C-alpha cells in the first residue's frame, strides 16, 4: 500500500484536524489554460496516485482533467480535459463537468461528477488506467449535485449519495441515497441527512452535501460532508462528518454538531468564491490510523488537511447532534 501524504499535528493545534503547512498544494494556474483548480478527487494508483481534477479555464468553462502524482502532494495534471467514449450508453452529451469523485469498485475506477444535461445532474463514468475513459448514463434527472459512490456494494447493490437541488446556486439541500443493480438504473431513494435547525448547528443549516467517498470503520461508514450557512456576506462552506450504519447507510448513527474545518486561512477566505472549504477526496490508512483530506479552497485552489481516523471517529461520537 502507498504511504499516504502526512504531516504531524502542530504542537499548538487543539483541533481534531489540521492543515498542511504548505497549502495550497495545487495553484489556480497549474496548467496553462486554468483559471482555478479545486474540488477534485484522488485515489491510490500504481506506485503513486491518480486523480480527476476540476479545472475551470479562463473562459470559466468547467471540465475535468486527469492527473498523476508520486506522493499525493505534487501533481502533474493533463493539459487537455478527459475525453469520454460511450460506456453503457451512446448518450454522452455534456454541457459541463465539475466536482468529481473517484473510487475503485471491483475491477475499475468509477468517476462521478456534476454533469450538465439540461441542468446539473450526476454523471457517471469509469476507467481502468486513467488514460481511456467511458461515460455511462446519467444517474438521475436534473437537478442534482454531489453524487458520491460507496466503495463497495451494499446488500448486493451499488449505492450512491446525492443532493437533489435546483438549476441555480441552490439555497437548500439534503443528502439522499439511491441504489442500482447495474450502475445504469437507479432507485430506492431514501433520505439520509437533512439540514439542521439554525439554533442547533448554524454552520449546516442551509444545505449539506456528501464529500469524499465514505470510509468503512468499526463504527460504520465515516462520511465527510460540507455544510453551508447563508450569512450577510453570502454562503459559507465548512466540513463536518457523520457515521452511517454499515448495512443500512440511510441511518445516521452520529453527526458532528461543530464543524471539523471551516474557512479561516487566506486561501480559504479569498478567491473566486470566498469563505469555502469543500471536501472531495480522502486518502486513508487504517493500519497507521491516518487520513489525508483534499479540499477545494475558495473555489480557486486545492488544499489538504490531516487527522487520525480514531480521533475523528471519537470526536464525532462525543460531539454529535
Amino acid at each position: 500500500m502507498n504511504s499516504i501524504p502526512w504531516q504531524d499535528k502542530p504542537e499548538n493545534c487543539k483541533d481534531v484536524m489540521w492543515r498542511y503547512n504548505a497549502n495550497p498544494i495545487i495553484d489556480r494556474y497549474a496548467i496553462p489554460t486554468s483559471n482555478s483548480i479545486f474540488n477534485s478527487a484522488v485515489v491510490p494508483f500504481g506506485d503513486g496516485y491518480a486523480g480527476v481534477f476540476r479545472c475551470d479555464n479562463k473562459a470559466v468553462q468547467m471540465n475535468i482533467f486527469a492527473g498523476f502524482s508520486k506522493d499525493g502532494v505534487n501533481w502533474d495534471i493533463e493539459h487537455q480535459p478527459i475525453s469520454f467514449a460511450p460506456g453503457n450508453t451512446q448518450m454522452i452529451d455534456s454541457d459541463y463537468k465539475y466536482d468529481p469523485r473517484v473510487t475503485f469498485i471491483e475491477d475499475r475506477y468509477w468517476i462521478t461528477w456534476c454533469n450538465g444535461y439540461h441542468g446539473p445532474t450526476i454523471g457517471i463514468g469509469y476507467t481502468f488506467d486513467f488514460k481511456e475513459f467511458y461515460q455511462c448514463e446519467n444517474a438521475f434527472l436534473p437537478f442534482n449535485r454531489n453524487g458520491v459512490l460507496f466503495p463497495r456494494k451494499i446488500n448486493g447493490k451499488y449505492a450512491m449519495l446525492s443532493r437533489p437541488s435546483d438549476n441555480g446556486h441552490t439555497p437548500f439541500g439534503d443528502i439522499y441515497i439511491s441504489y442500482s443493480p447495474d450502475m445504469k438504473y437507479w432507485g430506492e431513494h431514501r433520505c439520509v441527512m437533512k439540514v439542521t435547525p439554525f439554533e442547533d448547528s448554524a454552520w449546516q443549516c442551509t444545505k449539506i452535501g456528501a464529500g469524499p467517498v465514505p470510509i468503512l470503520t468499526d463504527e460504520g461508514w465515516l462520511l465527510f460532508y460540507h455544510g453551508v450557512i447563508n450569512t450577510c456576506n453570502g454562503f459559507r462552506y465548512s466540513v463536518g462528518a457523520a457515521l452511517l450504519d454499515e448495512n443500512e447507510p440511510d441511518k445516521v448513527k452520529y453527526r458532528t454538531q461543530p464543524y471539523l474545518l471551516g474557512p479561516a486561512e487566506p486561501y480559504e477566505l479569498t478567491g473566486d468564491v470566498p469563505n469555502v472549504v469543500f471536501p472531495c477526496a480522502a486518502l486513508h490508512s487504517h493500519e497507521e490510523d491516518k487520513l489525508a483530506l483534499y479540499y477545494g479552497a475558495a473555489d480557486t485552489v486545492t488544499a489538504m488537511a490531516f487527522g487520525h481516523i480514531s480521533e475523528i471517529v471519537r470526536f464525532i461520537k462525543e460531539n454529535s447532534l
Side-chain angles (χ1 to χ4, degrees):
M1 179 178 175
N2 302 328
S3 179
I4 71 168
W6 183 254
Q7 189 173 74
D8 288 333
K9 180 187 286 193
E11 290 186 7
N12 62 347
C13 179
K14 296 180 175 60
D15 295 319
V16 72
M17 298 192 73
W18 58 96
R19 295 167 174 81
Y20 182 44
N21 66 6
N23 274 343
I25 62 168
I26 303 176
D27 181 71
R28 67 185 304 168
Y29 301 127
I31 63 174
T33 59
S34 62
N35 165 77
S36 48
I37 302 177
F38 61 106
N39 296 5
S40 303
V42 304
V43 289
F45 179 72
D47 60 354
Y49 300 91
V52 178
F53 296 84
R54 172 176 176 173
C55 302
D56 294 3
N57 67 19
K58 292 180 175 67
V60 195
Q61 295 172 300
M62 306 166 192
N63 217 324
I64 54 177
F65 294 63
F68 301 90
S69 173
K70 290 294 185 183
D71 58 9
V73 177
N74 299 285
W75 289 88
D76 293 318
I77 299 174
E78 301 290 341
H79 291 185
Q80 296 297 321
I82 292 171
S83 177
F84 285 90
N88 64 15
T89 179
Q90 293 297 311
M91 201 293 293
I92 59 173
D93 295 348
S94 182
D95 296 324
Y96 48 77
K97 298 180 177 74
Y98 64 82
D99 295 358
R101 276 75 160 182
V102 180
T103 187
F104 185 82
I105 307 176
E106 296 174 331
D107 65 345
R108 68 195 69 186
Y109 297 89
W110 288 94
I111 307 160
T112 55
W113 64 88
C114 184
N115 192 49
Y117 180 71
H118 301 278
T121 185
I122 305 303
I124 303 178
Y126 63 87
T127 182
F128 297 97
D129 55 10
F130 288 91
K131 295 179 180 177
E132 296 181 333
F133 295 83
Y134 301 88
Q135 186 169 339
C136 299
E137 282 283 343
N138 293 323
F140 310 117
L141 293 167
F143 308 112
N144 206 317
R145 293 177 173 87
N146 298 302
V148 180
L149 287 165
F150 282 77
R152 72 177 197 191
K153 290 181 176 179
I154 296 175
N155 300 319
K157 298 174 184 177
Y158 298 102
M160 188 195 309
L161 300 169
S162 69
R163 202 272 306 285
S165 61
D166 63 15
N167 201 29
H169 197 38
T170 311
F172 65 88
D174 303 317
I175 298 174
Y176 285 74
I177 191 169
S178 304
Y179 295 92
S180 171
D182 56 5
M183 283 288 196
K184 186 172 185 178
Y185 299 102
W186 294 85
E188 299 179 79
H189 314 294
R190 302 287 185 271
C191 183
V192 178
M193 286 181 12
K194 301 180 77 68
V195 297
T196 57
F198 178 89
E199 60 273 17
D200 291 345
S201 184
W203 70 269
Q204 52 184 325
C205 71
T206 299
K207 55 182 174 177
I208 55 175
V213 171
I215 298 166
L216 187 59
T217 73
D218 292 339
E219 297 284 352
W221 293 103
L222 171 59
L223 172 68
F224 291 94
Y225 65 95
H226 68 262
V228 182
I229 179 174
N230 191 11
T231 74
C232 59
N233 196 38
F235 289 150
R236 181 181 188 269
Y237 286 70
S238 302
V239 180
L243 291 168
L244 311 180
D245 185 84
E246 178 179 352
N247 298 312
E248 298 179 88
D250 60 314
K251 295 182 178 179
V252 179
K253 298 172 66 177
Y254 304 96
R255 171 184 179 180
T256 52
Q257 183 178 37
Y259 60 75
L260 290 169
L261 201 68
E265 295 297 321
Y267 53 86
E268 300 161 351
L269 298 171
T270 303
D272 283 1
V273 182
N275 303 319
V276 175
V277 173
F278 191 98
C280 269
L283 299 172
H284 68 280
S285 169
H286 285 298
E287 294 80 5
E288 298 178 300
D289 191 28
K290 293 178 179 179
L291 180 140
L293 181 76
Y294 293 80
Y295 65 93
D299 278 18
T300 304
V301 296
T302 302
M304 180 182 293
F306 305 102
H308 294 288
I309 298 170
S310 61
E311 292 182 3
I312 294 169
V313 168
R314 183 165 60 250
F315 182 87
I316 298 169
K317 294 176 67 176
E318 293 176 354
N319 297 274
S320 182
L321 282 165

